[in-house]
Amino acid sequence: MAFVEHLTLFVLAAFLGYELITKIPATLHTPLISGTNAISGITLIGSVLVAGSGNTTLATVLGFFAVVLATINVVGGYLISQKMLKSFGRRRGD
Amino acid sequence: MAGLADGLPPETLQIAYLLAGVLFILGLQRLTHPRTAARGNLISASGMVLAVGATVLWFEILSPLVLAAALLVGAAIGTWLATTVETTDMPQLVGLFNGFGGGASALVAGAELVDQVGTAGTASDLSVTVTAAAGVTGLVGAVTFCGSLVAAGKLHGVLEDPIRYSGENVVKAVTLLAAVVVGVALVTQSPRFGPLQLGAFATPYWVLLALASILGVLLVVPIGGADMPVVIALLNACSGLAAASTGFVLDNSVLIIAGTLVGASGIILTVIMCRSMNRSLRNVLFSEYGGASAAAG
């Protein structure tokens, strides 16, 4: 895809991210940080690509560590958000 | 494109990425309301499974054992950390995870540079988009990684007190300037920069990473433990932006969409958190030496 198309996605997603968050109760700040943090683990896709392509040994080694770090981010991030939100729900008596 | 999904039309992967992007948006939207937040997290997780699954199935994986081992190790560590953590220790663990995300982005951009220099033959064949996006990823990713480690340490009670020294803002500015100069060398590939040429090991990139790592530590060390939630929120936005610029390096749409969503929502959340403390972001990050801190100590 061309650079301009990527730039379009970037600008539109930036506005969307801003609009989605403007109204948020203070109690949800930490779970939201945790939840969006898990989404930023999307970099796992990039890690998978460089680790799996195996063009050079150095790139594969770097890719291996990138996959480990990103997977910790994704798996740990979603689990801890869920844990947080569960205790949050209990506190509210839902 | 000769992975397990061989035979499907080439648009399939992009459609899967689009669906994943929609799931991230719906998840994020539900995360902002107390009653739907847990469901939102699950929706966003399903988007992640879709995006990663489609990637693994679509592309030809030349080193499947390396990939499988890395995924298993990462999933095991992530699960172990998230399930054993005490409720009170959750914020620092989120900070730690966040640092890992930024670090992964920085490594990916470096690996891709090494790969592309290897296949292109000469460094000057690399497009400016790739080198510039890699430079941004390295800078933001390494600041996120080291900054988050310090922030998590402070929340955990290590190094809790702000470390201040005279002229700290000058030191930070000089470090940033040095990183930018190396970044310019990386992007322009001008012979004037001498040893900072993009060789087989992408040397300037790693120099940039080292400077950015120092900068990440310098930025967070002077901030007090009580302000760490705001710092974590800002670093979270940074890890999103690092992922987005990785998308520019790798020519990948879902990285840009998801990373930018996190970046933009993270920045606005940081501002909201500062406002609720009646302070400006600038005041939290760079409160001048001799100001509030001198009165406190």
Side-chain angles (χ1 to χ4, degrees):
Chain A
M1 237 193 289
F3 172 72
V4 179
E5 288 173 53
H6 285 155
L7 194 65
T8 311
L9 285 181
F10 176 79
V11 173
L12 294 181
F15 276 99
L16 189 55
Y18 177 91
E19 289 298 328
L20 283 170
I21 301 307
T22 38
K23 276 182 223 149
I24 176 156
T27 43
L28 277 177
H29 284 176
T30 313
L32 183 74
I33 294 174
S34 180
T36 53
N37 169 47
I39 296 180
S40 72
I42 189 73
T43 195
L44 174 57
I45 285 184
S47 315
V48 165
L49 289 179
V50 292
S53 66
N55 282 340
T56 62
T57 315
L58 178 58
T60 308
V61 171
L62 291 171
F64 174 84
F65 286 109
V67 170
V68 171
L69 289 178
T71 313
I72 295 176
N73 187 186
V74 168
V75 175
Y78 279 115
L79 285 177
I80 204 170
S81 308
Q82 209 58 27
K83 209 169 161 180
M84 244 180 229
L85 290 165
K86 244 192 252 162
S87 65
F88 184 79
R90 265 205 308 274
R91 256 207 324 274
R92 286 172 47 84
D94 288 349
Chain B
M1 259 176 242
L4 297 173
D6 208 12
L8 290 173
E11 291 82 12
T12 314
L13 182 71
Q14 291 306 323
I15 300 287
Y17 282 169
L18 175 62
L19 279 175
V22 170
L23 289 170
F24 288 140
I25 294 166
L26 292 175
L28 202 52
Q29 189 186 37
R30 275 154 186 71
L31 268 173
T32 60
H33 298 286
R35 258 183 305 131
T36 55
R39 209 181 317 148
N41 192 50
L42 290 178
I43 293 174
S44 132
S46 63
M48 186 64 75
V49 170
L50 174 63
V52 175
T55 308
V56 171
L57 294 179
W58 188 264
F59 292 94
E60 189 178 13
I61 306 291
L62 290 175
S63 35
L65 278 180
V66 174
L67 182 62
L71 285 170
L72 274 177
V73 170
I77 297 175
T79 309
W80 175 66
L81 285 173
T83 46
T84 56
V85 66
E86 299 290 323
T87 311
T88 45
D89 290 341
M90 278 182 182
Q92 52 265 47
L93 192 58
V94 172
L96 191 67
F97 288 157
N98 184 46
F100 287 171
S105 291
L107 288 180
V108 169
E112 182 65 13
L113 275 184
V114 170
D115 246 4
Q116 291 207 9
V117 175
T119 36
T122 55
S124 51
D125 291 345
L126 262 58
S127 79
V128 174
T129 316
V130 169
T131 49
V136 172
T137 310
L139 181 66
V140 181
V143 165
T144 307
F145 180 67
C146 289
S148 297
L149 291 189
V150 176
K154 278 179 183 262
L155 279 174
H156 204 64
V158 193
L159 289 168
E160 215 168 342
D161 294 326
I163 298 169
R164 302 197 148 272
Y165 44 90
S166 51
E168 60 180 58
N169 284 340
V170 177
V171 176
K172 286 179 225 168
V174 168
T175 314
L176 177 64
L177 190 69
V180 169
V181 169
V182 178
V184 170
L186 172 70
V187 174
T188 59
Q189 287 304 300
S190 160
R192 246 175 300 172
F193 289 101
L196 286 177
Q197 292 285 308
L198 198 58
F201 297 109
T203 318
Y205 182 79
W206 305 111
V207 177
L208 174 66
L209 223 57
L211 287 167
S213 302
I214 297 170
L215 184 64
V217 174
L218 289 176
L219 283 172
V220 182
V221 149
I223 306 173
D227 286 337
M228 278 309 122
V230 175
V231 174
I232 300 264
L234 184 63
L235 289 169
N236 178 40
C238 288
S239 77
L241 292 175
S245 63
T246 311
F248 280 90
V249 180
L250 293 174
D251 202 20
N252 188 301
S253 60
V254 75
L255 273 175
I256 298 176
I257 296 173
T260 312
L261 282 174
V262 175
S265 63
I267 287 170
I268 188 67
L269 183 65
T270 309
V271 173
I272 291 174
M273 287 170 83
C274 286
R275 242 185 249 150
S276 66
M277 298 193 306
N278 260 327
R279 293 171 69 187
S280 69
L281 182 57
R282 200 168 154 256
N283 179 265
V284 171
L285 294 180
F286 305 109
S287 56
E288 276 79 17
Y289 181 70
S293 59

